[in-house]
Amino acid sequence: MVIELFSVESAKAILAIPIPYRLRQDQLIWVLDPKGIFLIKSVQNVSFKSPISANLQSSHWKKLWRSKLPKRLRIGVGALPTKVNLNRRFDHIDPTCIFCNNAEESPIHLFFGCPFTKALWASACWGLCIKTSSLVTDEDIIKLILIPPNSPLPSHDQWTISLNMALIIDEIWRTRNLV
């Protein structure tokens, strides 16, 4: 039956799986980590091997991992389950933004392009107005947070801008999931 349902290569791989003599409970493992544990950092390590992320400077990633910013910043490796990302994996997902219903819910649109989130940024972060045309990839969001635009704060307090931006992104994601 396996040979009838699968390609020759897949059938060989399936039939090579050893069948245990006694029942054991299934276990979830992350095969891209030697210990089988899923960590956001392991996703980042795998993403550096892809041609898409090869041009991202590692200093940005080092700064991100050292920071105390929320884990929502996995945006940069395309691991955030926005509707566009889910639609790539599952055909039946409607990719329309849950807030405005006018555009696809990509990370750039959701966090900076949607009228709802634009209003939030303008009111919460020194009147920040980001031109989404300057954000081409998801990694650009990470760069924006780690190296934020100039603000009226003194230079020794500039780190609070990155923290505030990360917290706003976290709140946008939380609100999106509640809606």
Side-chain angles (χ1 to χ4, degrees), residues 6-172:
F6 296 94
S7 68
V8 173
E9 186 178 313
S10 295
K12 283 181 184 178
I14 293 168
L15 294 172
I17 297 172
I19 298 173
Y21 292 111
R22 51 193 155 118
L23 293 177
R24 291 183 293 180
Q25 189 167 356
D26 288 340
Q27 183 179 9
L28 291 175
I29 62 165
W30 174 248
V31 295
L32 299 175
D33 179 75
K35 295 181 181 177
I37 301 170
F38 177 81
L39 299 169
I40 301 301
K41 192 162 186 170
S42 69
V43 173
Q44 181 251 330
N45 289 336
V46 171
S47 74
F48 272 131
K49 294 175 185 170
S50 75
I52 296 169
S53 298
N55 62 355
L56 182 65
Q57 295 176 5
S58 63
S59 63
H60 291 303
W61 285 109
K62 287 176 185 173
K63 190 174 179 182
L64 175 63
W65 293 122
R66 281 193 306 259
S67 71
K68 301 295 183 208
L69 301 176
K71 300 297 182 205
R72 194 72 62 226
L73 295 180
R74 59 187 160 181
I75 298 165
V77 294
L80 198 64
T82 60
K83 287 186 169 187
V84 166
N85 284 342
L86 289 172
N87 192 38
R88 284 188 201 128
R89 293 167 178 84
F90 309 104
D91 292 332
H92 64 282
I93 302 291
D94 175 17
T96 308
C97 175
I98 200 160
F99 293 131
C100 70
N101 293 317
N102 288 329
E104 288 188 337
E105 188 192 82
S106 67
I108 292 171
H109 171 79
L110 177 64
F111 295 114
F112 295 100
C114 178
F116 170 79
T117 56
K118 279 183 177 180
L120 182 62
W121 284 108
S123 65
C125 207
W126 76 91
L128 181 66
C129 183
I130 299 293
K131 293 183 180 180
T132 54
S133 60
S134 66
L135 302 172
V136 179
T137 68
D138 295 346
E139 293 165 352
D140 291 339
I141 296 173
I142 299 297
K143 290 176 190 175
L144 176 68
I145 292 167
L146 294 175
I147 306 168
N150 292 331
S151 79
L153 289 176
S155 60
H156 64 277
D157 285 336
Q158 291 292 317
W159 67 271
T160 61
I161 296 168
S162 293
L163 180 61
N164 284 327
M165 291 178 77
L167 291 171
I168 290 169
I169 283 179
D170 203 53
E171 191 55 38
I172 290 168

